[in-house]
Amino acid sequence: MERELALEIVRVTELGALASAGWIGRGDKDAADDAATTAIRSMFDSVSIDGTVVIGEGEMDDAPMLYIGEKVGNKSGPLVDVAVDPLEGTEVVAAGLQNAQSVIAIADKGSLLHAPDIYMQKLACGPELAGKLSLEDPVEITLTKASHHLGKSLSEMTVMVLDRERHKELINTLRQAGVRIQLLSHGDVAGAIAAALPDSDVDLYLGSGGAPEGVLAAAALKCLGGEMQGQLLPQGPFELQRCMRMGIANPTRVLYMDDMVGTGDVIFAATGVTSGEFLNGVRFIGKERAETHSVIMRAQSRTIRYIRSIHFLPGKEIPQVSPGRKVASL
């Protein structure tokens, strides 16, 4: 893929963030998600790719989506797979909380995991631990291995976990082991990425979250030299059948980086909607301007670029969505 694509992709996430930011704190997650989705769809038309959405937003949020199999781009560029979450954190935006962002990853065609929108068990780490841990190990063994390779005592390690009821047993295990726990209220992608950022104090990210977010995080971690391991968690026969229909012969096997993002180049872009550990959110400046904060990364070069942009709003076509609007799945 051409490196110029990186800037084109971040323009897409910027518009998604700007469109959804108008719904911060207004209690309408569907309208916020619809605004981001519509904006991203429209901006993709100007991007020089022949892209196919292979994993995207879905039924978990009961909201509009860029559906699996949808074609994006102006078809004048390379064939690519697209993983997208127009608004990671719909409820976050509705409530005015932290860590909402618009996220996209692209890779050569056939590279990104083609999987349904179900839950995934995850283990994410940075370069120092990449290839040295296993999702199949008990948590206590994972902590011991990480402690050894990092040269830290367990009491010096920090593990990030989504603060969810389903993680109660995991959190108890971590506390009994004596590690520091950083509970994350929202932002599954940002949480996994935190384990690999050079200036982060997070050593591991553990727990379950959405499969689309897992693929997006894996794309970012590849750009950072880190690692994501995942295991799909199909609930019942229906979700098992969905996995099988998508070509996943063994839905519960451990997925590694090559399974989720392939062996070639990957581009990852994200723009903050509300501020969090990873990115600052959209800030409106007067009536005509807004500031966005984005990150763009590429696996081939492992370069991390943070982009601060000031947008002249009258010059942008930002979708307008009516309050309470609900759009059916496409």
Side-chain angles (χ1 to χ4, degrees), residues 74-95:
N74 62 20
K75 297 182 172 57
S76 66
L79 291 166
V80 298
D81 287 345
V82 177
V84 56
D85 195 341
L87 181 56
E88 189 211 4
T90 56
E91 293 182 357
V92 171
V93 170

Side-chain angles (χ1 to χ4, degrees), residues 2 8 15 30 45 58 97 131-132 158 172 174 193 196 210 215 227 243 245 255 261 266 291 293 295 305 312 326:
E2 298 296 327
E8 290 196 59
L15 194 66
D30 293 318
D45 290 341
L97 302 175
K132 297 170 182 175
T158 300
N172 287 338
L174 293 172
I193 292 172
V215 175
E227 183 181 28
C243 293
R245 285 198 301 268
L255 300 165
V261 294
V266 177
E291 177 186 83
H293 189 219
V295 65
R305 288 185 172 90
F312 181 62
K326 243 184 177 179

Side-chain angles (χ1 to χ4, degrees), residues 25 56 157-158 213 283 329:
M157 287 177 53
T158 300
E213 290 81 2
R283 183 171 70 94
S329 299

Side-chain angles (χ1 to χ4, degrees), residues 99-304:
N99 275 327
Q101 55 186 354
S102 179
V103 193
I104 293 172
I106 64 171
D108 294 330
K109 185 175 177 60
S111 297
L112 298 182
L113 178 69
H114 185 50
D117 184 13
I118 62 177
Y119 280 105
M120 173 188 281
Q121 191 70 26
K122 303 170 187 179
L123 182 159
C125 62
E128 290 179 283
L129 294 176
K132 297 170 182 175
L133 305 177
S134 173
L135 186 59
E136 296 180 292
D137 284 338
V139 172
E140 296 88 344
I141 299 299
T142 296
L143 295 176
T144 299
K145 287 182 177 179
S147 172
H148 169 73
H149 290 295
L150 292 172
K152 292 182 175 182
S153 66
L154 289 174
S155 63
E156 294 174 313
M157 287 177 53
T158 300
V159 179
M160 183 171 278
V161 181
L162 267 177
D163 189 7
R164 298 291 185 271
E165 180 64 28
R166 65 180 182 270
H167 291 149
K168 184 176 180 180
E169 184 177 340
L170 170 62
I171 291 169
N172 287 338
T173 299
L174 293 172
R175 285 182 173 147
Q176 289 171 10
V179 299
R180 300 167 181 155
I181 302 173
Q182 190 169 335
L183 292 176
L184 186 67
S185 59
H186 300 279
D188 197 22
V189 175
I193 292 172
L197 290 173
D199 56 351
S200 172
D201 60 355
V202 176
D203 298 301
L204 287 171
Y205 181 80
L206 298 173
S208 62
E213 290 81 2
V215 175
L216 286 161
L221 287 161
K222 181 170 183 176
C223 298
L224 293 165
E227 183 181 28
M228 164 75 81
Q229 294 178 30
Q231 184 180 32
L232 295 173
L233 300 172
Q235 305 296 304
F238 177 70
E239 290 191 352
L240 275 170
Q241 289 170 9
R242 290 178 65 201
C243 293
M244 301 290 280
R245 285 198 301 268
M246 291 184 179
I248 304 172
N250 183 1
T252 59
R253 75 179 179 90
V254 173
L255 300 165
Y256 297 94
M257 294 291 281
D258 290 354
D259 299 311
M260 288 188 275
V261 294
T263 59
D265 198 11
V266 177
I267 292 173
F268 174 90
T271 301
V273 180
T274 61
S275 295
E277 289 85 356
F278 186 32
L279 294 168
N280 293 328
V282 175
R283 183 171 70 94
F284 290 100
I285 306 168
K287 293 183 178 180
E288 294 190 334
R289 299 189 183 275
E291 177 186 83
T292 59
H293 189 219
S294 306
V295 65
I296 184 76
M297 299 185 278
R298 188 181 178 202
Q300 185 170 303
S301 63
R302 288 199 186 177
T303 299
I304 308 169

